[in-house]
């Protein structure tokens, strides 16, 4: 099952399995939020970051000269 197919009862079951009991009135909202998050992550997975270094490699002080131009 993917998050795109997540139903409200499945959302409740997965939440309970994680130790997070979910009130019945929240099942639909949690399932919808999970589907949305999955759709956003799916788009990010399609991006080609190529030679982009990981975030810890970024040093703001090295970029000062670029911002001043």
């Amino acid at each position: 099952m993917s998050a795109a197919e997540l139903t409200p009862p499945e959302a409740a079951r997965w939440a309970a399995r994680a130790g997070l009991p979910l009130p019945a009135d929240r099942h639909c909202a949690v399932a919808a939020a999970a589907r949305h998050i999955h759709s956003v992550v799916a788009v990010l997975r399609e991006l080609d970051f190529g030679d982009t270094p990981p975030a810890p490699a970024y040093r703001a002080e090295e970029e000062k000269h670029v911002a001043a131009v």
Side-chain angles (χ1 to χ4, degrees):
M1 173 211 46
S2 71
E5 302 164 350
L6 187 69
T7 64
E10 289 170 328
R13 184 174 58 86
W14 281 96
R17 187 173 179 180
L20 303 167
L22 196 58
D25 64 334
R26 302 293 299 149
H27 295 184
C28 289
V30 171
R35 287 190 299 269
H36 174 71
I37 291 167
H38 184 266
S39 70
V40 171
V41 171
V43 171
L44 294 174
R45 287 185 175 151
E46 293 175 10
L47 296 176
D48 178 19
F49 290 104
D51 296 328
T52 305
Y58 177 74
R59 299 287 182 260
E61 62 273 1
E62 295 173 8
E63 298 293 325
K64 287 180 183 177
H65 69 280
V66 175
V69 175

